[in-house]
Amino acid sequence: MSQTFGNLEIGDLTGSPARNRRERIVSTTFRITAYVSLLVSILIVLSLVFEAWTFIDGIEIGWLWGDQWAPPFNEYDLKTPLVGSLIVTGIAMLVAIPIGLASAIYLSEYANPTVRKWLKPLLEILAGIPSVVLGFFALRWVTPNIVQNLNADAPGFTLAAAGIGVGILTVPLIASVSEDALAAVPSSLREASAGLGAKRVTTTIRITIPAAISGLVAAFIIGVSRAIGETMVVFLAAGGGGNQAQFTASAFESGTVVTAAMAATTAPSDRLSEGVALQSLYFLGLLLFVITLLLNLIADRFVRKVRMVY
Amino acid sequence: MTIETETEDTDNVNIFEVSDVNVYYGDFRAIRDVSIDIEANEITAFIGPSGCGKTTMLRSFNRMNDLIPTARVTGELKYRGVSLYDKRVDPVEVRRRIGMVFQKPNPFPKSVYDNVAYGPRIAGNVSKGAEMDDLVESSLRKAALWDEVKDRLKSSALGMSGGQQQRLCIARAIATNPDVVLMDEPCSALDPIATGRIEELMAQLKDEYSIVIVTHNMQQAARVSDKTAFFSVEVSEESDLRTGILVEFGSTDLMFSNPTDERTENYVTGRFG
C-alpha cells in the first residue's frame, strides 16, 4: 500500500500528542535530575561554610596557631594538618608523576599491541586496590626498607612513608589517565614527525606530549586531588591516628594531614561528638575544598595557555 | 646498443630498484612480487583501484611501514644502491633523505614557522636564528606559500585552509632538503583549485627532487607524471584473498595512449575500477 501525498492539513504534520507528551516528560525528568545534583553540591558547600563559620565564631583565633592539632585540648593549629598534607602530597607526586607518566609513555608509544592489551587493564585493576592495604604496606614495608634506610633516626610512623604509600596508590590512576591522553593524539602527527626523520623519543617529547598536555595536566590534577583526599594510608603510616599531632615540617617525623585529622576527630568519643571539636572538621573540610578548587582553577589556566589544539 | 645508450645517459639514475618485493601485514600479503625501477628527478605516479597496495608500496620506500608492528617486507628494495631493509639501516636516516606528504594534511599543532623548522631542528644541522629564518622562507617559497603566510608565521598552522595546510606539509618535507619526496594521495582532501596549485608545485619541484606520488585520480597522473605504474588487485580463486600486484609500468604517455596490458587499458579508459 503506497502512501499518497496530496494537499496536507496542519494536523497531518503536528505529530501525535502522546509522543509529544512523552518527549516532554523525558526531558523534564532529565532537567530535574541535573538540577538536583547541582542543588546537592550547593547545599554541601553552604553547610560547610555555615559550620566552619560557627567554628571560627566559637573559638578564640589564637587557638588556630600553636604547635599541635589536638581538638580535645582546644588546640587547632592549622599549619599542622596543612603542612602535613603538603608534605605527603608533595612526596606522593614525586613518586607518582614520574612513574605514572613513564608507564603511560611506555604503554602508548612503545609497547606492542599485545603487551598493551594485557598491561592496560592490569593497571586499571591496580587502581582499585583498597587504600587500607597500601596503608599497611607503607607501614610494614616502606617504613623499615625505604624511610629508615634514608634516615636511620626516623620513627615507626612518618609522613615520608605515608607520602610514598599514597604515591604508589596514585601511580595507576595517573598512568591510566595519562595513557588515555597520549593515545588520543592522532597517529597522523606521529607519522608526520617520523616522516621527517624524528626518532621515536623525539616525536614523543616534541609532538605527542605537547599535543596531549591538557590531558596530562588533568591526570596530574586528578592525582593530586586523590593524594590530598587520601585518608587511610596516612592514618595508618603517619601516626596521625590519635586525636593529637605535633606540628612538624620534616617528612621524617610522625604527623597528620587534613583528611586523617578529620577521620581521627570523627572517631566516636563523648567529648568530640558535638561542639567546636566537631565543627573543626567542617572547617578543615572547607579548607580542603578551597585547596582543590584553587588547584583546578590554576590547572585550567595553565592548560589554556600551553595546549595545542589538534 | 640499448645498454650503451643507458649507460651514457647520466640523467637516468635509478633512485629505487625494487625486485620481487612482498609486503605482509601479519599473515595478509598486501603486495606480491613487485619489481620496479624508479628514476631520479622524475615524477612517478602509482595508480590503481583501492586496496591494490600502491600506498603500501610507497610507504616501504621510507620504511614508514615499520610503524605498523605486524608489517614485514621481503625481497630486495634498494635506495641508491643500498638495501633499505638491511639490518644495519636506521629508518631515521632513511626518512631524513626520503620525505613524505600524507593523504590528509597533518600539520603539527604549532605555528607555521615551527612546522617548517621542525625537521631541520631535530636533525640539528641548522642552529642559528637567521639561518633558520632563511631556510623557512625558502622552503615556504618553494611550496608557493610564502606570500600567503609571511605575515602570520607565528600563528597556528591549524588556522589555515586545507590547501594551505597541504602546501605547508610540502614545505615542511622539503625543508630537510630530502632526495626524494613521497606523496600519498596529496590532493584527495583538497578542492580543484588547491589541487591545481599543488600539481604546479610538483612540476617545479621535479628539478630538485625525485617525486613518487600515489593518486586515485587518473587525470592527475596523466597531467603530472613522467612514468606511471598501474597496480591492481588479484583475488585468489581458492582462498578469496586479495593481493596487490604491479600490472604495468612505463612512460605516462604510453600508459594512457597505448597500454600493453588489457587490465591497464580497462582501468585508464574507465571500464574498470
Side-chain angles (χ1 to χ4, degrees):
Chain A
M1 198 182 84
S2 71
Q3 244 175 311
T4 50
F5 293 100
N7 274 340
L8 295 174
E9 310 226 339
I10 185 67
D12 296 326
L13 295 178
T14 46
S16 119
R19 197 180 61 214
N20 288 341
R21 205 161 42 241
R22 267 203 306 281
E23 200 66 51
R24 259 199 313 280
I25 291 172
V26 168
S27 92
T28 312
T29 314
F30 283 125
R31 194 174 314 125
I32 289 173
T33 40
Y35 285 139
V36 164
S37 59
L38 194 68
L39 190 71
V40 168
S41 312
I42 291 172
L43 286 179
I44 290 175
V45 174
L46 282 182
S47 78
L48 269 182
V49 172
F50 177 74
E51 296 281 350
W53 176 251
T54 326
F55 169 70
I56 292 292
D57 209 31
I59 61 160
E60 290 166 30
I61 291 299
W63 294 357
L64 296 175
W65 191 266
D67 50 16
Q68 63 174 348
W69 175 266
F73 310 107
N74 276 342
E75 293 198 46
Y76 301 100
D77 176 43
L78 285 181
K79 62 184 189 300
T80 301
L82 285 179
V83 171
S85 276
L86 203 69
I87 292 174
V88 168
T89 309
I91 293 175
M93 289 305 106
L94 281 180
V95 173
I97 290 181
I99 300 179
L101 185 60
S103 337
I105 290 172
Y106 169 72
L107 276 179
S108 148
E109 308 299 310
Y110 288 87
N112 74 44
T114 331
V115 173
R116 200 184 145 183
K117 206 177 81 195
W118 286 97
L119 275 185
K120 185 86 200 283
L122 203 68
L123 202 67
E124 273 153 12
I125 291 171
L126 283 179
I129 291 182
S131 54
V132 68
V133 174
L134 262 159
F136 266 107
F137 173 74
L139 186 63
R140 310 293 298 178
W141 194 88
V142 174
T143 303
N145 291 307
I146 298 179
V147 176
Q148 288 174 338
N149 258 338
L150 290 172
N151 183 336
D153 300 332
F157 297 101
T158 56
L159 290 172
I164 294 170
V166 175
I168 296 170
L169 189 79
T170 325
V171 166
L173 184 71
I174 290 187
S176 176
V177 180
S178 303
E179 201 270 342
D180 289 339
L182 292 170
V185 175
S187 60
S188 65
L189 294 182
R190 293 188 188 86
E191 286 198 332
S193 178
L196 290 163
K199 293 191 276 287
R200 206 184 292 212
V201 58
T202 315
T203 302
T204 305
I205 292 171
R206 291 195 178 229
I207 302 295
T208 320
I209 290 180
I213 194 74
S214 60
L216 294 178
V217 172
F220 302 157
I221 295 301
I222 294 172
V224 170
S225 307
R226 176 86 171 84
I228 291 183
E230 174 50 37
T231 310
M232 210 57 209
V233 174
V234 190
F235 201 81
L236 291 175
N243 256 326
Q244 210 175 341
Q246 292 287 323
F247 171 75
T248 176
S250 160
F252 295 108
E253 306 257 357
S254 71
T256 195
V257 300
V258 175
T259 50
M262 290 171 73
T265 313
T266 324
S269 111
D270 292 341
R271 281 195 57 136
L272 298 178
S273 54
E274 54 188 22
V276 281
L278 188 68
Q279 282 157 355
S280 73
L281 299 184
Y282 288 91
F283 186 71
L284 281 185
L286 186 68
L287 275 182
L288 205 59
F289 173 75
V290 170
I291 292 171
T292 29
L293 189 71
L294 281 179
L295 213 62
N296 276 298
L297 288 177
I298 293 168
D300 193 56
R301 267 283 171 82
F302 174 76
V303 165
R304 265 169 217 274
K305 217 171 184 179
V306 300
R307 112 174 123 170
M308 310 196 298
V309 184
Y310 51 80
Chain B
M1 194 64 186
T2 9
I3 296 166
E4 237 183 316
T5 31
E6 267 185 23
T7 42
E8 274 169 15
D9 190 353
T10 45
D11 284 337
N12 282 6
V13 179
N14 285 336
I15 42 163
F16 292 116
E17 288 169 354
V18 179
S19 44
D20 294 324
V21 161
N22 293 269
V23 181
Y24 299 83
Y25 296 118
D27 293 332
F28 171 69
R29 176 147 73 169
I31 52 175
R32 194 185 68 206
D33 297 333
V34 172
S35 299
I36 188 171
D37 287 349
I38 292 172
E39 279 180 31
N41 296 97
E42 282 197 340
I43 299 178
T44 306
F46 289 180
I47 61 169
S50 296
C52 68
K54 50 195 192 304
T55 294
T56 296
M57 186 67 239
L58 189 79
R59 288 168 67 98
S60 24
F61 287 139
N62 67 343
R63 297 201 39 177
M64 218 53 182
N65 285 333
D66 289 22
L67 299 186
I68 301 162
T70 56
R72 200 156 51 83
V73 175
T74 67
E76 178 95 304
L77 208 166
K78 280 189 170 168
Y79 162 60
R80 291 199 182 268
V82 177
S83 177
L84 270 180
Y85 285 82
D86 189 296
K87 278 202 168 61
R88 288 164 294 179
V89 168
D90 179 3
V92 167
E93 283 301 322
V94 174
R95 295 181 197 132
R96 287 192 178 163
R97 289 172 172 79
I98 307 176
M100 189 157 195
V101 176
F102 296 83
Q103 183 171 358
K104 230 180 100 203
N106 56 357
F108 299 126
K110 297 172 180 280
S111 71
V112 173
Y113 185 99
D114 286 341
N115 263 279
V116 182
Y118 183 80
R121 257 182 207 150
I122 60 170
N125 42 22
V126 178
S127 49
K128 289 210 194 79
E131 203 183 332
M132 185 64 90
D133 291 349
D134 290 346
L135 179 60
V136 169
E137 180 176 341
S138 68
S139 306
L140 285 168
R141 278 191 195 282
K142 281 187 206 166
L145 192 60
W146 174 252
D147 290 334
E148 290 161 63
V149 299
K150 63 181 178 215
D151 298 324
R152 39 177 298 198
L153 291 175
K154 295 290 168 199
S155 55
S156 171
L158 298 179
M160 306 197 300
S161 73
Q164 289 176 322
Q165 288 188 6
Q166 193 64 304
R167 275 179 286 145
L168 178 67
C169 291
I170 294 174
R172 185 175 68 182
I174 58 186
T176 57
N177 195 24
D179 180 18
V180 186
V181 179
L182 306 174
M183 297 187 170
D184 184 6
E185 297 182 41
C187 302
S188 64
L190 305 181
D191 67 42
I193 295 169
T195 301
R197 302 207 58 164
I198 290 189
E199 287 179 6
E200 279 168 33
L201 184 58
M202 287 169 62
Q204 288 161 20
L205 294 176
K206 179 175 115 164
D207 296 337
E208 280 181 77
Y209 311 98
S210 312
I211 297 175
V212 185
I213 176 176
V214 164
T215 178
H216 264 300
N217 181 331
M218 278 180 290
Q219 284 73 35
Q220 181 169 62
R223 279 193 301 262
V224 301
S225 71
D226 302 298
K227 298 256 174 66
T228 298
F230 172 60
F231 288 77
S232 188
V233 186
E234 198 175 68
V235 184
S236 154
E237 297 204 347
E238 312 98 72
S239 58
D240 208 37
L241 278 176
R242 304 161 70 86
T243 295
I245 51 161
L246 174 64
V247 175
E248 194 175 350
F249 176 52
S251 90
T252 300
D253 291 343
L254 268 179
M255 289 285 283
F256 281 89
S257 60
N258 195 11
T260 47
D261 196 289
E262 198 190 343
R263 289 168 292 181
T264 314
E265 190 178 353
N266 287 342
Y267 188 76
V268 298
T269 53
R271 275 195 291 257
F272 154 68

